[in-house]
Amino acid sequence: MASQRLKRGVRGAIAATAVAAAAVGLTSPVPAGAQPNTASDALKKYNELAEEATKLNEELLRAEEARDQNQAALDQANAQLAQASAAGEQARKDEEAFRVQVDKLTEASFEGARFNQLSALLVSDSQQDFLNRMSALGVLAADNNEALDKLSGAVQAAEQARTSAADAQAKAQHATDEAAKIAEDVKKRQADLQGQITEVKAQLNRLTAQERGILSDRGDMSNIAVPASVAGEALEFALAQRGDMYRYGATGPDLWDCSGLTSKAYASAGVTIPRTSNGQAGAGRPVSRGEVTAGDLIIYNGGNHVAMAVDNARVVHASTDGVPVKIVDLEDPGTIYAMRRIAG
C-alpha cells in the first residue's frame, strides 16, 4: 500500500477549488442527474447525457460478462462432447470384443452340448475323470455367463455414451447460438455507448470555462484515516485514486469507471467482487443507512452506479466523463438502490 499512500500524498499537495465551486452555487455532476436548479441548462443536459452513458456502459459490461460466461459454458460443453465421444468409441470397441467372445463360447457350448451329466458319466473312464469333465462344463458355463454380462455392460455403456454425446452436442450448439446472439448484443451496445460518449463530450465542450473548472475539481484531497481492516484496505486504495479521471469501462491504473474502481479496490485487499455495479449490488450483505461505515458499497440508480463509503456521510467514486475520482456527500451520486457490506 506504500505506492498508494505516495500517490495520495502527491495529490494532497494540489490545491482544492471547492471554495470556488461553492461561490457559484454549483456541485459536481452525478450520474443520477441530481443537479440543483442553479445549474445552467448546458450543465443539466451534460448530466443527463452522462447518466445515460453510465447506464449504457453498465449494460455493455453486463453483456460482456454474459459473453464470458457463455464462452465458459461452450468450452465445458465441448469438453463433455469430446469425453463422451471417447467413451463411446471405447464402449463400441468393448462391445465388439465381448460379442466375439460370446459368439465363440456359444459355439463351443453348442458343439459340446452332448456333454451333459449323463454323457459325461457314460464316457468317463473313472469317477475322477467324470468329475474333471463336469468341472470343465461348469467353467465353460461360467465363462459364457461372464462374457454375456460383459457384453450387456458394454452395450449399456455404449448407449449411455451415445446419449451423453448427443446431450453434449446439443449444449454445445446452444452455447454457440447464444454466443452469436451475445456478440451482436455487445456490438450494438458498444456502438450505442460510443455514440452517447460523443454526445457527452460535445456537451462538455459547450460548458463555460467556470463550469468545466467545477467539474474537474478534485474535492477533498486531504489524508483520511481508514480502519485497520479489509474494508479499510479497500477504502485506502480507492482514496489513493482521487484525481484520476473517468473512462467508460476502465479498471485502472489511472483511469476508472465506477465499478472498475470499487472492484479493484477490494481486489487490492484480497477480496473478489463482481465487476459490474449491478453485480456488486448483490455482493456481501445488506446494511441499513444508519449502519453504513467505511468501505461499504453504495449502489445508485437501479444498479447503474456504485461508490464506496468513506464514512456514514461521504463516498468516494468515479463519477462520469470529465470528472475525476473524488469524495462527495453520500446522497449526491443519485438515488440509493442498495447498500452492501463486503467485509466485516
Side-chain angles (χ1 to χ4, degrees):
M1 302 302 296
S3 62
Q4 299 300 333
R5 294 190 184 97
L6 177 61
K7 187 175 182 181
R8 187 174 60 188
V10 171
R11 288 177 178 151
I14 300 174
T17 58
V19 175
V24 296
L26 295 175
T27 63
S28 60
V30 295
Q35 198 68 29
N37 292 331
T38 53
S40 70
D41 290 341
L43 190 55
K44 288 179 181 179
K45 181 63 174 177
Y46 167 80
N47 283 328
E48 292 172 1
L49 293 171
E51 180 182 355
E52 181 61 24
T54 300
K55 179 181 178 182
L56 289 172
N57 181 59
E58 175 69 14
E59 290 176 355
L60 173 59
L61 291 175
R62 292 180 201 171
E64 290 175 338
E65 193 172 55
R67 179 186 60 194
D68 294 341
Q69 292 172 349
N70 187 80
Q71 184 59 52
L74 176 57
D75 292 342
Q76 182 180 15
N78 285 331
Q80 289 175 343
L81 176 58
Q83 185 178 10
S85 299
E89 183 62 27
Q90 184 60 49
R92 282 189 290 274
K93 290 180 180 179
D94 291 343
E95 180 182 354
E96 182 178 351
F98 292 139
R99 192 177 299 280
V100 170
Q101 184 179 356
V102 168
D103 289 344
K104 288 182 178 179
L105 287 171
T106 301
E107 182 180 354
S109 298
F110 176 77
E111 290 178 352
R114 67 181 182 279
F115 290 110
N116 54 29
Q117 292 185 10
L118 178 59
S119 61
L121 176 60
L122 292 175
V123 300
S124 297
D125 296 330
S126 66
Q127 184 178 14
Q128 185 60 47
D129 184 37
F130 170 74
L131 292 175
N132 289 341
R133 290 176 184 273
M134 290 303 298
S135 177
L137 287 173
V139 169
L140 183 63
D143 286 346
N144 203 26
N145 287 335
E146 182 181 359
L148 285 170
D149 288 342
K150 289 181 177 179
L151 175 59
S152 177
V155 170
Q156 291 179 0
E159 183 59 32
Q160 183 177 0
R162 282 190 288 270
T163 300
S164 297
D167 290 343
Q169 180 66 51
K171 289 179 181 178
Q173 186 60 54
H174 176 73
T176 300
D177 294 342
E178 283 297 308
K181 293 178 182 178
I182 293 174
E184 284 299 316
D185 186 41
V186 169
K187 184 177 179 180
K188 178 181 182 301
R189 294 185 187 280
Q190 285 175 331
D192 290 344
L193 176 59
Q194 288 306 313
Q196 191 67 25
I197 291 173
T198 299
E199 288 191 51
V200 170
K201 291 185 180 299
Q203 188 64 28
L204 183 62
N205 291 332
R206 297 187 184 103
L207 301 181
T208 66
Q210 185 180 43
E211 287 172 332
R212 286 197 298 273
I214 293 169
L215 292 181
S216 61
D217 172 31
R218 299 178 181 218
D220 182 0
M221 295 292 292
S222 66
N223 290 330
I224 295 175
V226 300
S229 62
V230 170
E233 288 184 42
L235 176 57
E236 184 174 20
F237 180 96
L239 290 171
Q241 315 315 314
R242 283 176 291 175
D244 284 354
M245 295 307 292
Y246 184 96
R247 176 178 291 175
Y248 299 98
T251 57
D254 298 311
L255 295 167
W256 308 91
D257 69 8
C258 63
S259 56
L261 175 63
T262 51
S263 61
K264 277 298 180 67
Y266 266 102
S268 74
V271 178
T272 300
I273 62 175
R275 166 65 178 90
T276 65
S277 56
N278 187 266
Q280 291 174 21
R285 65 181 179 87
V287 293
S288 68
R289 176 65 184 84
E291 294 173 319
V292 170
T293 190
D296 289 345
L297 296 184
I298 314 300
I299 297 88
Y300 302 88
N301 308 330
N304 290 322
H305 186 67
V306 62
M308 183 178 293
V310 176
D311 47 39
N312 190 257
R314 300 175 297 167
V315 293
V316 57
H317 72 148
S319 176
T320 191
D321 200 16
V323 182
V325 174
K326 67 170 66 178
I327 294 174
V328 298
D329 289 344
L330 191 143
E331 280 77 15
D332 277 359
T335 303
I336 295 176
Y337 175 72
M339 295 169 286
R340 310 294 296 190
R341 180 155 301 160
I342 303 302

